[in-house]
Amino acid sequence: MSHQPAVATKMSREMDKPLISLHLVDSDTSLAKVPDEAPKVGILGSGDFARSLATRLVSSGFKVVVGSRNPKRTAGLFPSAAQVTFQEEAVNSPEIIFVAVFREHYSSLCSLSDQLTGKILVDVSNPTEQEHLQHRESNAEYLASLFPTCTVVKAFNVISAWTLQAGPRDGNRQVPICSDQPEAKRAVSEMAIAMGFMPVDMGSLASAREMEAMPLRLLPAWKVPTLLALGLFICFYAYNFVRDVLQPYVQESKNKFFKLPVSVVNTTLPCVAYVLLSLVYLPGVLAATLQLRRGTKYHRFPDWLDHWLQHRKQIGLLSFFCAALHALYSFCLPLRRSHRYDLVNLAVKQVLANKSHLWVEEEVWRMEIYLSLGVLALGTLSLLAVTSLPSIANSLNWREFSFVQSSLGFVALVLSTLHTLTYGWTRAFEESRYKFYLPPTFTLTLLVPCVVILAKALFLLPCISRRLARIRRGWERDGAIKFMLPTDNALAEKTSHV
């Protein structure tokens, strides 16, 4: 197959540069020729999304006809198997036509209304935030009002051009679809499956406005966890500032404000990471306590607890992020100029005091164990973070995923607790550590994790664990139906909790 000339490189205007590499398009022999009996699909538009859509459709076995206002200029940007022609010719034969133009250009298609009668129009557009607030009706509903003789389907608006180009394995596979005609939805759903995506029925065309709002949301599930992490960071940072910077300045007239960028931050990050990790497992403890108290699993949790349970993944990833930053900051501590001055001052004091040996066996062992536990905790958190990725989680069955996220997650919490206790050692009982009568920061961080660990230990007692397992299998204290667990403990452990 002969390669097409690189038309895009000859164009002077930046808007004509394609998103998809022509070398990528033409080097794939599967895009060179499509069988004549393949279903024909039309595309109105020649932008980045239209090019990516044409490439994905051709590679999925469809015959593609692209309608453009200037086919000679844009033909070289599409796969050689796609036919690029004028809009009037592109809408003649296909029954399904993708409308890949912006809302303000819909009116320019009104001249094609007679040719589009009875056809399925797939609207893939998305409004800007300002347009979404300005218009009460969705783009798809507006398109349907312009073409009342057509069936409009809203689909593929949450899929990026890059996902279409690289394939569904490198992006989100779900494609929400809505329309007032079930047959049209089914036709577009079958096409989405053929392209390697997973269609999700969103109902009637009235859902199009909600679908168009999806790409406008910026990490909606991360808002509350991020605010929580930020609030904890501000509180712990202020607390450490008072203890490590303000107290020496007020009581000892020592200027230690140089600690603000690195030292105070490095003292704050592990506190935030540790508390966030404990907050991942605290709602599970509260949920189990409620189920034991109610004697059933069929009563709904309070809304605050339900939302808390749903945000555990984000809270855990933020905990890992803070722990990783803490490790990086700790590596940077010896590089500070202030640290070098402290070493020189210590050496001078040692010489003046005629001390040739400063080895303290207890401190050496404490630091060795402290660092080792910290590395193990960070490694376990890294494993939890990796397995939370969809590509990794999808390769695990439910028992494997539950073991990593639940069992290993609790191990990470225990290791972090031991890491903190080793850091504290006997410092919590030294009077000099209570600056401004404030306890050391690590003693505050131990409160929530210790409660979680003690509660988990109580749930392991046979009298409580068996009752909780029976409740989660459908047993009710005051209900008519009661389920008994198998007498074999090994078999009981293998049963899944619903």
Side-chain angles (χ1 to χ4, degrees):
M1 179 185 69
S2 61
H3 291 276
Q4 293 182 351
V7 178
T9 59
K10 298 180 181 180
M11 298 182 180
S12 58
R13 290 187 296 178
E14 188 68 22
M15 63 175 291
D16 292 327
K17 292 184 178 180
L19 174 69
I20 304 177
S21 170
L22 291 178
H23 176 73
L24 174 64
V25 171
D26 288 337
S27 61
D28 190 350
T29 56
S30 64
L31 305 183
K33 187 177 180 180
V34 179
D36 294 335
E37 63 275 8
K40 184 177 289 187
V41 180
I43 299 177
L44 292 177
S46 55
D48 287 339
F49 192 87
R51 299 164 192 160
S52 301
L53 181 61
T55 303
R56 180 54 45 194
L57 286 169
V58 169
S59 64
S60 301
F62 292 92
K63 192 173 182 179
V64 178
V65 183
V66 180
S68 174
R69 289 173 295 180
N70 195 335
K72 290 184 178 180
R73 188 183 67 179
T74 58
L77 306 178
F78 286 85
S80 57
Q83 178 187 354
V84 182
T85 182
F86 291 99
Q87 293 180 345
E88 294 80 3
E89 300 176 10
V91 299
N92 283 332
S93 52
E95 292 299 321
I96 299 179
I97 300 172
F98 286 85
V99 181
V101 297
F102 292 106
R103 177 186 178 121
E104 58 265 27
H105 301 312
Y106 285 172
S107 58
S108 64
L109 304 177
C110 290
S111 59
L112 307 174
S113 57
D114 293 337
Q115 297 170 269
L116 293 174
T117 301
K119 297 183 183 294
I120 298 175
L121 300 183
V122 183
D123 178 37
V124 299
S125 66
N126 280 315
T128 62
E129 290 188 42
Q130 184 178 0
E131 292 172 344
H132 184 70
L133 296 175
Q134 180 182 358
H135 303 296
R136 292 187 177 182
E137 61 178 357
S138 63
N139 290 358
E141 291 173 312
Y142 175 62
L143 182 64
S145 66
L146 293 178
F147 299 94
T149 58
C150 300
T151 301
V152 176
V153 178
K154 187 72 181 183
F156 290 95
N157 67 301
V158 300
I159 302 296
S160 65
W162 169 254
T163 302
L164 286 171
Q165 175 184 348
R169 281 185 254 176
D170 294 333
N172 187 12
R173 296 189 61 209
Q174 290 189 346
V175 177
I177 299 175
C178 71
S179 176
D180 292 333
Q181 298 294 332
E183 291 298 324
K185 274 195 297 186
R186 189 182 67 175
V188 177
S189 298
E190 292 175 353
M191 181 178 296
I193 294 174
M195 296 168 66
F197 295 99
M198 183 184 303
V200 178
D201 192 343
M202 297 292 291
S204 65
L205 199 62
S207 303
R209 183 171 175 81
E210 179 185 352
M211 288 172 53
E212 292 175 1
M214 291 179 181
L216 300 178
R217 299 169 186 158
L218 181 61
L219 304 175
W222 288 84
K223 183 177 180 180
V224 173
T226 302
L227 291 176
L228 173 64
L230 185 61
L232 287 174
F233 182 86
I234 293 174
C235 291
F236 279 115
Y237 188 87
Y239 190 86
N240 290 324
F241 166 76
V242 172
R243 282 179 39 84
D244 299 340
V245 178
L246 192 60
Q247 186 271 342
Y249 183 78
V250 173
Q251 294 187 345
E252 304 173 16
S253 298
K254 293 182 179 179
N255 188 347
K256 293 191 176 182
F257 285 89
F258 65 87
K259 290 187 173 183
L260 291 177
V262 178
S263 295
V264 179
V265 173
N266 190 47
T267 307
T268 303
L269 285 172
C271 301
V272 177
Y274 188 33
V275 173
L276 286 176
L277 182 61
S278 63
L279 292 179
V280 173
Y281 298 96
L282 180 58
V285 170
L286 297 177
T289 304
L290 281 177
Q291 289 177 339
L292 287 171
R293 181 181 177 183
R294 295 170 174 174
T296 179
K297 70 171 184 177
Y298 296 109
H299 284 184
R300 224 185 130 186
F301 294 136
D303 290 338
W304 59 268
L305 181 56
D306 190 45
H307 291 311
W308 193 351
L309 289 168
Q310 293 176 6
H311 286 101
R312 286 181 296 176
K313 175 183 176 180
Q314 289 78 15
I315 296 175
L317 289 175
L318 288 173
S319 172
F320 168 71
F321 175 71
C322 293
L325 285 181
H326 169 55
L328 293 176
Y329 269 93
S330 298
F331 280 120
C332 294
L333 290 179
L335 302 178
R336 298 174 304 155
R337 182 70 64 179
S338 59
H339 179 73
R340 299 178 187 178
Y341 288 155
D342 287 339
L343 289 179
V344 173
N345 292 335
L346 181 62
V348 171
K349 289 180 181 179
Q350 184 179 355
V351 172
L352 294 177
N354 264 337
K355 293 183 179 180
S356 59
H357 191 70
L358 287 179
W359 184 276
V360 180
E361 190 75 17
E362 180 183 352
E363 283 296 306
V364 171
W365 273 101
R366 183 182 71 84
M367 286 303 298
E368 295 292 322
I369 298 174
Y370 163 72
L371 292 175
S372 178
L373 291 172
V375 171
L376 290 175
L378 181 60
T380 311
L381 279 177
S382 303
L383 181 60
L384 294 175
V386 170
T387 53
S388 66
L389 298 175
S391 58
I392 304 298
N394 291 338
S395 64
L396 303 175
N397 60 39
W398 171 245
R399 187 175 183 186
E400 293 168 343
F401 182 80
S402 177
F403 171 76
V404 172
Q405 293 295 323
S406 181
S407 301
L408 289 187
F410 184 70
V411 169
L413 182 62
V414 172
L415 289 173
S416 301
T417 303
L418 295 176
H419 175 68
T420 306
L421 290 174
T422 308
Y423 173 81
W425 209 259
T426 58
R427 297 181 180 184
F429 308 102
E430 297 176 3
E431 185 178 354
S432 60
R433 300 290 177 179
Y434 288 78
K435 302 176 181 180
F436 277 155
Y437 302 101
L438 297 176
T441 313
F442 69 87
T443 58
L444 300 180
T445 62
L446 284 169
L447 296 177
V448 178
C450 288
V451 169
V452 174
I453 292 175
L454 289 176
K456 287 278 190 180
L458 288 175
F459 290 154
L460 292 177
L461 296 176
C463 58
I464 299 179
S465 64
R466 286 187 61 83
R467 183 179 180 85
L468 184 60
R470 293 171 65 190
I471 291 174
R472 289 177 173 173
R473 288 180 61 84
W475 180 87
E476 293 185 88
R477 181 174 53 199
D478 300 325
I481 302 177
K482 303 181 185 296
F483 297 91
M484 300 300 295
L485 282 177
T487 54
D488 188 358
N489 292 333
L491 182 60
E493 292 178 356
K494 292 182 180 179
T495 56
S496 62
H497 294 166
V498 181

